[in-house]
Amino acid sequence: MFQPLLTKNFHYGRPASLKEYEAAGGYEGLRAALKMTPDDVIKAVIDSGLRGRGGAGFPTGRKWSLTDRKSPGQRYFIVNADEMEPGTFKDRFLMERDPHQVIEGLLISGYATDAGKGYIFIRYEYTEAARALETAVQEAKGAGFIGKNILGSGFSMEISVHRSAGRYECGEETALMNALEGKRANPRSKPPYPASKGFRMRPTTINNAETVADVPHIIKMGGSAWKTLAAYEGGAGTKLYGISGRVKNPGLFELPTGTPLKEIIETHGGGMQDGYSFKACLPGGASTPIITPNNLNVPMDFDTVSKIGSRMGTGCVTVFDDTCCIVRAMINNLLFFTRESCGWCTPCRDGLPFVYDILQRIEAGVAEMDELNVLDENCETIYSNSFCAFAPGAVDPVRSMLRLFKDEVEEHIKLKRCPCLN
Amino acid sequence: MAMLSEDRIKELREYVSSLEHPEEALVDLMHEAQETYGYLSDEAAEAVAEIAGVPVIKVEELATFYNLIFRRPVGRKVIFVCDSISCWVMGMENLFEHLKARLGIDIGQTTTDGAFTLLPICCLGACHVAPAMLVGDKLYGNLTPERIDEILEKER
Amino acid sequence: MPKLIIDGLEVEVPEGTNVLEAAKKLGIVIPHFCYHSAMGAVGACRLCAMKFVEGPVKGVQVSCMIKAQDGMVVETADPDAMRARRMVIEWLMTNHPHDCPVCDEGGMCLLQDYTIAGGHGIRRYKGKKRTYISQYLGEFIEQEMNRCIQCYRCHRFYRDYAGGDDFGTKRIANRTFFGRFKDGWLESEFAGNLADVCPTGVFTDKTYHFRARAWELETAPSVCPHCSLGCNLIPGAKLRELLVIKARENLKVNGWFICDRGRFGYRFASRPDRPRKFTLNGQEKSRDEATKAAVGIISDAVAKYGPGSVALAGSPRTSLENNFALKKLASLLNTGNICFSIDPLRDRKERRAISLLDAADSRSLQDVAFSDFIIVVGTDPVNEAPMLALMMRQASLKGARTAVIDPRPVKLPFDFTHIPARPEEFAEKLTGLLNEAAGDSKNPLIICGTNIPGIDAIDACSEAAGRLNCGLFYTLSSANSFGAAVLAGEGPDFEDILSGIESGGIRVLIALESDPLGRYSGEERASRALKKLDSLIVMDYLPTETVNAANALFPTAAYAEMDGIFINNEGRAQCFSRAYIPGIPVNYMGPKLKPPELHPPREFSPEVPGRSFPAWEYLGDIAREMGLDCCEMETLSAIRASLSHDPRFAAIAGLYPESEGALITAGPVDRLQAYGPFPAGEKPDAGEGLKPVDRLLLYATDLTFGTEEISVYSDKTQLRAPEPYVMINREDAKELGLNDGDWVKVASGSLGISCALKTSASCAKGAAFAPRLTGFDAAALSGKTIRITRERV
Ligand SMILES: Cc1cc2nc3c(=O)[nH]c(=O)nc-3n(C[C@H](O)[C@H](O)[C@H](O)COP(=O)(O)O)c2cc1C
Ligand code: SF4
Ligand code: FES
């Protein structure tokens, strides 16, 4: 029987208190980690096969091992809780229901990377989550989990919760560091990498909230044991999957990594609402390419989803039903991306409005067939020539639309109207 | 207009001067000034700059970058309607129309009684209860036109 | 040094060079907007894409962000790279207003050039353009934000490079806006460079608005006349009117930029009241008649009173050749009464300073940027030599520490330590700082002024530089102060000449682009003395008080209107060339414009109306007319050849326009003491029985705008000149019972001026400062102990 880890305290329907958290085995991971060497902690995380939950799936243990732990001076660990990828609502749950889990994860991560200062960077709209985290930080401080010489280990760490003020680009790790420094959240060029010059030009490690929340469990269970929790050979651990759209049971589920997409939608999501049928879905946020019904058996994990031409992203699935026009869905997506572009580089700042405009012309029935080439050329050049990963994410779903829904798009142009509107 | 009190300004100034990097406090200061002034007026922006000891253009650069800092007056509560993909699937466009009609304003405007300002916002992380909106800092999901009417009644 | 192959050509470049620059070295210029040599690469515009075929980096990449490395093989004409560049231009053009016909940037617009170069010709974007409401940024710079392509150069120049803090990046996405918090004048003294760094027409020179198309301008490489640094520029004129100044690159001097005084101070050249006629006692004459009249005046005096009755005053603002011709004429006339400055105090200090500079410790303006510890002694860079402040900032950005020993509350666009000290304390404070810095600094630099410091401080700086192997950098008063001081050598100063006039020994004065009546610190004394002259012969291009008093007047060509040489504060001789032929601008001859006598001539002639010539030509005419042997002053090349026979000027033989200049070493001036006692760091007189605050020592100071001799004749720079004021220490003011803003009388003996009082906490106690503004006789009180009393609150 599958034992939930991340969500086991979710049943309170409110933030689990320190007492409740400890009663369920909380902070045991930290106690165990502090008895290990930082290198052993990193090794456990490498063994666990944990890959970053922020969307890109970078192996977490490897990221930590790249952090410059030698140079003298302050190091930082940042939890990315900016969660603004449309369709995604996993970190919100983690922080609202079990904030200590994120804090414990951050403490262990900080210990492993020798960071004396931790930040939790949270979007402003997550008022409740921020309150929960702030309360939890106070509780943990009171219990001696945060501060000087934690549990007598000699390791010290302070933690601050930073409430941001909007803008999707703040979630990009280097932009986030600028934001935290009180600068405009434009991304920085890499190199230098955060591992050597990040926040305040000091070595910095940054992980998604879910990623750090996994860490206590990995330490408690041992990396290899955690790894075997996955649903298939190549996977590792458990993962929060969300589902939204016109399904019977939208929500968030902790499942073995690599649970097939079909199972997520049909078993956990309860299948489509009556009167609606499944048309397509975005597997993990607005920047992930579309998946069509013929690929629903794909195990939801980074490599497996990449293989079918999409990306797992955040693992929060948005389902399009048969009433959704794909062109309009993409217009909605581009509305978001054009508005949120940080304005730093040309392809994103001025290219996305171009894409948006062509999509609107197609939807309005005024586009000519050769504008599809213009659309394609825009998407391909934006994809390959932008400064950060924002703009590629913005056009990737549109590129997939041009591959997978060419007929539907062309029909708009031929009919000079949207075929989905009757 | 409400102002930050002299005492509070003094406190904040002390806090900022205890920081190694005063600029890092700007977002917090802007939030606080905004809560006090209602929006980040020119005077509020100048006050923030003065407290942080930075040129006011630095405040302006951040204030106009972020969407949750208002440089223009807003209503007593801002209604943020999620216009991202999951809420779109669940019929967000109709809700917008309904809200506009009920409030008698367009997106970006404030009701004549000063109660509400209507703005779009990107995914609120409430997709499982889409369509969703924030009124002030309160989240409402599973919206229908009827529910919206009730909420407006309650929040006004 | 990495070697790489670009388009089949091998190129070797210094470590750290980016591939875009490496290609440039091969003559392959790939369009780029955000990259700028001065400000580096940020990879924002994404235009400079190239295909990396072999080596450590692969695929289409923006070349500015990639350092050249061994083994790289790069294709610039790869179809994918070309597509990327074409699309970037197409994106930038989606919002561009296409208002090129009414855009001042038209013809020198990078967006125009790159649209052609990038191959974007047909508009495929069918949507609406985004539009902005622009801001009012003052009278120097005009903003038209609709033309913006968001390359961020303006922000990076203004904030990062120049340290301005009233301009920045606002809003987000394709609504990103560059401007101020609120409408108003840009405050940085370097704001004008926005017009140069902006690749399109967002920021343009407002003073030049709608006056000419770029290709109509007559231009030439030139050198700024507005301070002693000698920044390189390009003046542009149309139909005899000087209309615009742009910065010219010189990597030994100003780099890529100039200050706003240099850029906007040009409007003296086309003033309607500029002297354009040869006159004799107010009557218009021909050039020939004027020459004959001058010869008559000189010959009469020589005949009656001997050669010593003729005196000549050259100037630090005129060219080396003009001053040389004057000196030649003096020696032909056999008179020793010649000086090259009408400010004797400054003159002596400058002669001393340049005699102390030698190749070992002299530093160029660019070198300043590479110093790691800078001590400033008695100079206020932003106000006295603006671009120096910009270079110091570059050093500061690299980690240099800066300490400023100056009694004024000096402002600089970076963090530094201010040590408010009076001039007599300079030497001691300097020693203290040097001891502190000794050891941990590899490239220390001492920057010393010549206005406030006394000779003792000037000497101390040189002594310390020699002893500690420090760089040395003196700021001087004018563009050719160095050249004038070398020519002056051990000769007399203006004080001597004035005495000669007062005693009746001197009967004729030839003033070459110098204005004793308007600029001598004791104006009253000068005007009394000059009235005693039999005749005053004046050659100038500015409508000065001395010009108004001239018996014989020769209108001269200004710097942009002739070829010449200025020697900057470092001793760097630089050529400037004639951009246009001087004469009454055609624009002034239209019926609408005043003065009415400038109505266009109805008859046509090959003569340029109001044509003026370089002063050396007039001096040559006079010598020739007098039957003197003038072959060394007859042509510019003869003058230069003759000059270069002097070993100190030998380097100018190889000088050519657009070179980096040639270094002149003045060499020691022996018996410098011979021509008068040095004013040591001016010490307040004891003032028996008076409290210290009742005998404050006043210094006349310079400002970026409003005090420099040439730019005060420019209407636009005068807009930034402040109202007259006197500034003292806040506590001194308290002791006097005065407040900031009070209207006060500043008096010394019978002299007195009234103005507003400014107080400052970082002003040295016991000192007072007043800017040398026109119509405000601060200079007369300079160096005197004064009393300040309230006239009204
Ligand atoms: C435009 C953009 C927005 C992003 N937003 C988030 C975010 O909100 N939360 C997050 O964890 N990662 C976000 N990321 C990914 C981060 O840059 C970074 O990869 C991640 O935080 C690393 O953590 P992980 O290794 O645990 O995934 C974003 C990336 C981009 C390009
Ligand atoms: S792709 Fe460019 S404009 Fe878009 S968010 Fe990244 S840096 Fe900013
Ligand atoms: S899409 Fe609206 S809350 Fe996520």
Side-chain angles (χ1 to χ4, degrees):
Chain A
M1 180 57 201
F2 174 73
Q3 289 290 326
L5 301 171
L6 294 169
T7 53
K8 66 168 178 283
N9 293 328
F10 277 25
H11 56 271
Y12 294 108
R14 54 161 175 81
S17 68
L18 176 60
K19 229 161 125 196
E20 288 157 351
Y21 182 64
E22 285 199 272
Y27 288 108
E28 280 171 20
L30 175 66
R31 289 178 203 277
L34 292 177
K35 295 201 179 93
M36 298 159 71
T37 65
D39 284 323
D40 287 342
V41 175
I42 294 179
K43 180 154 183 311
V45 175
I46 291 177
D47 290 346
S48 75
L50 173 63
R51 296 176 66 174
R53 284 0 188 170
F58 192 84
T60 305
R62 204 158 94 232
K63 183 186 275 189
W64 292 6
S65 66
L66 293 174
T67 303
D68 168 10
R69 288 184 290 149
K70 293 208 181 62
S71 72
Q74 186 68 281
R75 260 170 290 276
Y76 300 97
F77 199 103
I78 301 174
V79 174
N80 189 343
D82 198 46
E83 190 163 72
M84 238 186 267
E85 176 78 26
T88 304
F89 47 97
K90 62 188 186 65
D91 300 343
R92 177 202 268 274
F93 270 87
L94 271 176
M95 298 181 290
E96 284 184 0
R97 302 276 172 95
D98 205 1
H100 280 288
Q101 192 169 216
V102 176
I103 290 167
E104 184 184 358
L106 170 53
L107 288 164
I108 301 173
S109 309
Y111 176 68
T113 54
D114 191 22
K117 175 87 208 198
Y119 286 91
I120 302 173
F121 187 99
I122 185 170
R123 64 182 292 193
Y124 191 68
E125 297 93 325
Y126 282 7
T127 317
E128 238 179 88
R131 264 187 226 129
L133 282 170
E134 269 154 11
T135 313
V137 165
Q138 287 315 321
E139 284 177 333
K141 240 186 214 162
F145 295 125
I146 298 176
K148 288 219 159 40
N149 190 14
I150 297 168
L151 304 176
S153 64
F155 172 66
S156 305
M157 189 174 192
E158 293 298 333
I159 292 179
S160 303
V161 178
H162 174 86
R163 294 188 70 189
S164 184
R167 294 306 175 199
Y168 176 61
E169 182 60 4
C170 290
E172 199 281 340
E173 55 188 27
T174 57
L176 184 150
M177 290 171 201
N178 277 339
L180 210 48
E181 287 179 14
K183 300 182 180 129
R184 287 167 64 87
N186 295 125
R188 301 176 181 172
S189 59
K190 292 184 260 187
Y193 292 92
S196 55
K197 288 190 167 118
F199 178 57
R200 297 177 179 161
M201 295 313 268
R202 298 291 313 151
T204 304
T205 323
I206 178 163
N207 275 115
N208 172 256
E210 183 188 346
T211 316
V212 297
D214 281 327
V215 171
H217 306 290
I218 290 171
I219 298 302
K220 268 199 303 196
M221 295 177 68
S224 317
W226 187 83
K227 186 170 180 174
T228 58
L229 297 176
Y232 79 115
E233 189 62 26
T238 66
K239 169 88 186 83
L240 295 177
Y241 293 107
I243 181 154
S244 62
R246 293 203 190 272
V247 292
K248 288 204 181 100
N249 182 26
L252 188 74
F253 311 97
E254 183 183 10
L255 300 170
T257 301
T259 302
L261 182 53
K262 197 180 175 108
E263 187 187 323
I264 298 174
I265 298 170
E266 289 181 0
T267 313
H268 304 282
M272 299 303 291
Q273 288 180 12
D274 296 340
Y276 293 94
S277 62
F278 179 92
K279 179 170 183 174
C281 70
L282 300 173
S287 60
T288 54
I290 305 168
I291 291 182
T292 45
N294 53 334
N295 272 326
L296 286 186
N297 287 323
V298 66
M300 276 287 274
D301 200 358
F302 295 104
D303 295 342
T304 43
V305 179
S306 293
K307 232 173 260 157
I308 60 156
S310 183
R311 291 192 303 112
M312 179 171 77
T314 62
C316 289
V317 184
T318 302
V319 173
F320 296 139
D321 58 72
D322 52 338
T323 67
C324 293
C325 165
I326 289 293
V327 177
R328 281 182 48 211
M330 292 302 110
I331 290 175
N332 177 272
N333 240 7
L334 263 291
L335 173 73
F336 164 79
F337 285 110
T338 49
R339 193 170 68 199
E340 295 296 317
S341 163
C342 83
W344 179 246
C345 73
T346 312
C348 180
R349 183 190 60 240
D350 291 334
L352 295 182
F354 199 160
V355 171
Y356 180 64
D357 184 63
I358 298 176
L359 290 172
Q360 281 203 309
R361 289 172 54 78
I362 294 172
E363 177 65 17
V366 297
E368 307 285 338
M369 207 51 98
D370 61 2
E371 287 182 61
L372 290 183
N373 296 329
V374 183
L375 180 60
D376 180 64
E377 199 175 5
N378 265 287
C379 291
E380 293 309 312
T381 324
I382 292 169
Y383 187 80
S384 60
N385 193 30
S386 56
F387 188 92
C388 80
F390 177 109
V395 291
D396 222 1
V398 184
R399 292 165 80 223
S400 70
M401 173 189 82
L402 290 176
R403 275 198 313 272
L404 303 170
F405 290 89
K406 197 152 201 279
D407 292 348
E408 187 175 323
V409 175
E410 286 182 354
E411 210 181 332
H412 279 78
I413 298 173
K414 283 189 203 132
L415 294 176
K416 298 195 184 302
R417 65 177 178 84
C418 175
C420 311
L421 293 174
N422 293 313
Chain B
M1 187 198 293
M3 300 281 277
L4 286 173
S5 69
E6 280 304 315
D7 288 348
R8 184 60 186 147
I9 289 180
K10 209 170 139 236
E11 255 170 51
L12 289 173
R13 232 186 249 136
E14 270 161 28
Y15 162 69
V16 167
S17 60
S18 75
L19 299 176
E20 204 178 326
H21 309 273
E23 272 174 32
E24 289 173 9
L26 282 176
V27 173
D28 293 342
L29 292 172
M30 289 194 300
H31 280 315
E32 175 154 352
Q34 173 156 302
E35 273 158 29
T36 319
Y37 291 67
Y39 73 107
L40 197 77
S41 62
D42 286 359
E43 298 74 38
E46 277 159 354
V48 166
E50 202 272 321
I51 292 168
V54 301
V56 68
I57 185 69
K58 287 202 179 175
V59 177
E60 178 76 339
E61 286 184 324
L62 294 187
T64 57
F65 182 93
Y66 291 118
N67 53 321
L68 296 175
I69 302 294
F70 313 121
R71 284 289 279 114
R72 274 188 270 165
V74 290
R76 286 188 292 279
K77 285 179 183 161
V78 179
I79 301 179
F80 282 114
V81 183
C82 169
D83 65 354
S84 289
I85 194 72
S86 297
C87 288
W88 173 80
V89 171
M90 300 303 284
M92 158 281 283
E93 279 165 343
N94 296 335
L95 289 185
F96 248 123
E97 290 315 311
H98 181 77
L99 267 165
K100 287 200 272 192
R102 268 286 172 281
L103 298 171
I105 54 174
D106 209 339
I107 295 174
Q109 295 179 339
T110 302
T111 52
T112 43
D113 62 357
F116 298 118
T117 298
L118 183 61
L119 288 172
I121 195 154
C122 65
C123 179
L124 289 168
C127 321
H128 59 305
V129 291
M133 71 179 185
L134 277 178
V135 180
D137 63 3
K138 200 153 169 29
L139 179 75
Y140 295 94
N142 294 322
L143 297 174
T144 57
E146 299 74 42
R147 222 172 110 65
I148 284 184
D149 292 348
E150 283 165 30
I151 294 166
L152 291 183
E153 199 59 38
K154 196 175 91 192
E155 293 275 359
R156 194 179 281 273
Chain C
M1 297 239 297
K3 244 188 237 163
L4 65 166
I5 294 172
I6 304 176
D7 292 349
L9 301 166
E10 194 180 73
V11 62
E12 193 172 351
V13 289
E15 199 69 52
T17 310
N18 65 40
V19 176
L20 182 62
E21 284 282 2
K24 239 185 221 175
K25 205 174 163 195
L26 287 169
I28 304 167
V29 180
I30 298 304
H32 55 274
F33 284 118
C34 66
Y35 175 73
H36 185 290
S37 313
M39 294 175 279
V42 291
C45 77
R46 316 303 292 172
L47 180 52
C48 62
M50 297 180 188
K51 173 78 162 264
F52 290 72
V53 187
E54 300 283 343
V57 181
K58 291 271 168 60
V60 174
Q61 305 280 347
V62 288
S63 57
C64 70
M65 295 299 280
I66 298 195
K67 302 257 176 288
Q69 287 166 58
D70 275 323
M72 281 182 163
V73 176
V74 185
E75 298 285 345
T76 67
D78 168 86
D80 288 339
M82 302 229 322
R83 183 191 69 180
R85 301 203 295 261
R86 182 169 46 71
M87 286 304 297
V88 170
I89 295 285
E90 183 167 0
W91 290 324
L92 294 174
M93 290 300 281
T94 57
N95 289 310
H96 195 73
H98 291 111
D99 59 347
C100 314
V102 291
C103 175
D104 275 316
E105 195 76 6
M108 50 186 175
C109 171
L110 281 186
L111 187 58
Q112 285 180 332
D113 297 352
Y114 292 168
T115 301
I116 304 280
H120 165 62
I122 294 166
R123 186 171 184 79
R124 302 189 294 180
Y125 173 68
K126 305 233 166 48
K128 284 187 179 164
K129 292 177 184 180
R130 141 298 260 134
T131 54
Y132 294 108
I133 295 171
S134 297
Q135 287 184 314
Y136 171 79
L137 299 177
E139 294 303 315
F140 287 169
I141 290 291
E142 177 81 8
Q143 184 185 41
E144 174 43 272
M145 261 306 284
N146 289 332
R147 299 176 184 143
C148 182
I149 57 166
Q150 275 87 6
C151 68
Y152 289 82
R153 274 193 194 182
C154 54
H155 178 115
R156 286 155 57 218
F157 172 77
Y158 199 96
R159 283 276 286 284
D160 305 344
Y161 195 92
D165 61 9
D166 61 321
F167 177 92
T169 309
K170 316 203 289 188
R171 303 169 71 187
I172 188 175
N174 77 337
R175 304 172 303 284
T176 303
F177 188 101
F178 301 95
R180 280 170 48 86
F181 180 61
K182 289 182 182 166
D183 283 18
W185 276 81
L186 289 168
E187 287 159 21
S188 167
E189 289 77 8
F190 308 99
N193 291 299
L194 292 183
D196 284 354
V197 297
C198 174
T200 76
V202 179
F203 298 107
T204 50
D205 180 338
K206 194 170 191 166
T207 67
Y208 163 65
H209 235 201
F210 305 136
R211 297 302 308 279
R213 306 303 298 179
W215 53 88
E216 296 176 313
L217 291 173
E218 293 181 83
T219 62
S222 196
V223 175
C224 182
H226 299 290
C227 88
S228 68
L229 298 178
C231 296
N232 288 207
L233 15 114
I234 308 175
K238 175 183 164 186
L239 302 172
R240 298 195 293 269
E241 186 177 4
L242 185 52
L243 289 175
V244 64
I245 302 289
K246 299 218 151 250
R248 182 162 66 87
E249 186 178 318
N250 184 332
L251 296 183
K252 279 282 191 293
V253 187
N254 52 310
W256 294 265
F257 307 112
I258 55 175
C259 76
D260 285 2
R261 179 155 93 204
R263 188 181 300 271
F264 302 110
Y266 69 90
R267 292 168 64 93
F268 67 90
S270 306
R271 277 174 76 104
D273 59 352
R274 172 173 165 179
R276 299 282 186 187
K277 294 175 191 152
F278 298 87
T279 62
L280 185 63
N281 299 323
Q283 298 296 305
E284 181 170 354
K285 296 286 169 198
S286 69
R287 175 174 171 183
D288 227 27
E289 289 164 340
T291 306
K292 291 208 167 83
V295 167
I297 291 168
I298 297 168
S299 310
D300 278 359
V302 172
K304 272 200 221 153
Y305 310 105
S309 63
V310 179
L312 305 93
S315 125
R317 70 165 150 98
T318 195
S319 71
L320 183 65
E321 294 91 334
N322 280 349
N323 278 331
F324 178 79
L326 190 75
K327 189 169 179 180
K328 198 79 217 162
L329 181 64
S331 76
L332 291 174
L333 290 172
N334 209 13
T335 172
N337 293 327
I338 179 164
C339 70
F340 296 89
S341 162
I342 49 139
D343 183 344
L345 204 61
R346 190 89 192 246
D347 185 10
R348 289 175 201 163
K349 292 195 272 188
E350 292 188 339
R351 287 195 227 178
R352 179 62 165 209
I354 66 154
S355 78
L356 297 171
L357 269 184
D358 61 41
D361 45 35
S362 177
R363 293 288 183 274
S364 73
L365 187 53
Q366 281 297 306
D367 291 337
V368 172
F370 295 92
S371 310
D372 56 6
F373 182 70
I374 302 178
I375 304 178
V376 177
V377 181
T379 187
D380 177 355
V382 171
N383 284 314
E384 296 180 2
M387 279 297 290
L388 172 60
L390 204 60
M391 288 304 145
M392 290 166 66
R393 175 173 164 83
Q394 306 320 305
S396 157
L397 289 175
K398 295 188 193 101
R401 268 207 296 149
T402 302
V404 178
I405 311 172
D406 196 285
R408 289 163 284 186
V410 169
K411 268 202 199 126
L412 287 169
F414 55 89
D415 286 339
F416 66 100
T417 317
H418 179 226
I419 301 164
R422 288 190 307 276
E424 65 269 23
E425 303 164 331
F426 283 177
E428 174 200 329
K429 298 274 183 209
L430 173 68
T431 317
L433 272 174
L434 284 169
N435 291 340
E436 201 181 299
D440 61 333
S441 139
K442 289 195 188 65
N443 275 317
L445 173 69
I446 298 173
I447 297 174
C448 179
T450 47
N451 181 30
I452 285 193
I455 290 281
D456 57 341
I458 289 170
D459 284 355
C461 287
S462 158
E463 188 275 326
R467 182 163 45 85
L468 299 168
N469 212 4
C470 268
L472 184 58
F473 192 95
Y474 289 111
T475 56
L476 310 176
S477 62
S478 303
N480 193 32
S481 285
F482 194 110
V486 178
L487 290 177
E490 288 154 24
D493 61 29
F494 191 65
E495 189 81 37
D496 303 322
I497 292 186
L498 264 188
S499 313
I501 300 172
E502 283 163 343
S503 70
I506 294 173
R507 319 294 295 219
V508 172
L509 177 67
I510 305 176
L512 165 62
E513 295 177 12
S514 78
D515 177 19
L517 287 178
R519 305 283 300 183
Y520 177 65
S521 56
E523 274 173 43
E524 266 175 83
R525 176 174 170 209
S527 92
R528 246 181 292 119
L530 264 53
K531 282 203 188 93
K532 293 187 70 176
L533 288 171
D534 293 347
S535 290
L536 176 62
I537 300 171
V538 181
M539 300 180 178
D540 211 335
Y541 55 86
L542 294 175
T544 66
E545 287 179 41
T546 308
V547 161
N548 291 337
N551 295 101
L553 173 65
F554 293 76
T556 61
Y559 79 106
E561 303 161 346
M562 63 180 197
D563 294 343
I565 292 172
F566 286 150
I567 305 181
N568 79 354
N569 65 316
E570 181 202 357
R572 186 176 296 274
Q574 302 188 94
C575 284
F576 51 90
S577 305
R578 184 171 81 185
Y580 63 103
I581 294 174
I584 299 170
V586 172
N587 180 44
Y588 287 13
M589 301 174 71
K592 294 193 304 280
L593 289 152
K594 285 176 192 167
E597 66 269 23
L598 295 179
H599 195 274
R602 288 289 187 258
E603 73 269 26
F604 295 89
S605 92
E607 300 287 306
V608 172
R611 168 102 198 240
S612 38
F613 300 86
W616 60 264
E617 287 195 29
Y618 304 143
L619 295 163
D621 289 351
I622 291 172
R624 191 179 321 104
E625 187 68 26
M626 292 183 80
L628 302 168
D629 172 16
C630 60
C631 68
E632 278 177 79
M633 52 194 294
E634 208 143 34
T635 63
L636 201 67
S637 45
I639 294 179
R640 290 188 184 168
S642 175
L643 257 170
S644 62
H645 288 149
D646 179 337
R648 293 173 303 176
F649 289 117
I652 69 164
L655 204 56
Y656 58 93
E658 293 188 280
S659 69
E660 287 183 336
L663 280 182
I664 305 293
T665 307
V669 183
D670 294 336
R671 295 183 293 114
L672 201 59
Q673 312 280 351
Y675 66 91
F678 289 126
E682 298 87 350
K683 290 193 183 63
D685 53 31
E688 292 298 322
L690 285 177
K691 284 189 295 181
V693 287
D694 287 327
R695 46 184 172 82
L696 301 170
L697 188 68
L698 185 125
Y699 298 90
T701 56
D702 287 310
L703 298 177
T704 318
F705 303 105
T707 66
E708 183 269 327
E709 185 173 4
I710 305 175
S711 62
V712 296
Y713 291 95
S714 170
D715 52 354
K716 297 296 179 189
T717 39
Q718 281 305 90
L719 293 173
R720 290 203 67 187
E723 289 301 313
Y725 63 85
V726 64
M727 180 188 293
I728 61 174
N729 177 281
R730 192 166 292 161
E731 283 168 37
D732 283 355
K734 214 188 236 167
E735 213 178 319
L736 289 167
L738 299 171
N739 295 314
D740 196 276
D742 283 355
W743 191 260
V744 295
K745 179 158 180 103
V746 182
S748 172
S750 60
L751 293 170
I753 50 177
S754 296
C755 60
L757 180 75
K758 275 196 193 183
T759 64
S760 161
S762 47
C763 195
K765 292 182 90 177
F769 303 93
R772 274 181 238 266
L773 297 161
T774 354
F776 177 59
D777 210 359
L781 294 173
S782 194
K784 301 201 161 59
T785 49
I786 53 148
R787 293 192 64 165
I788 301 186
T789 46
R790 182 184 293 128
E791 288 200 327
R792 59 174 199 270
V793 182

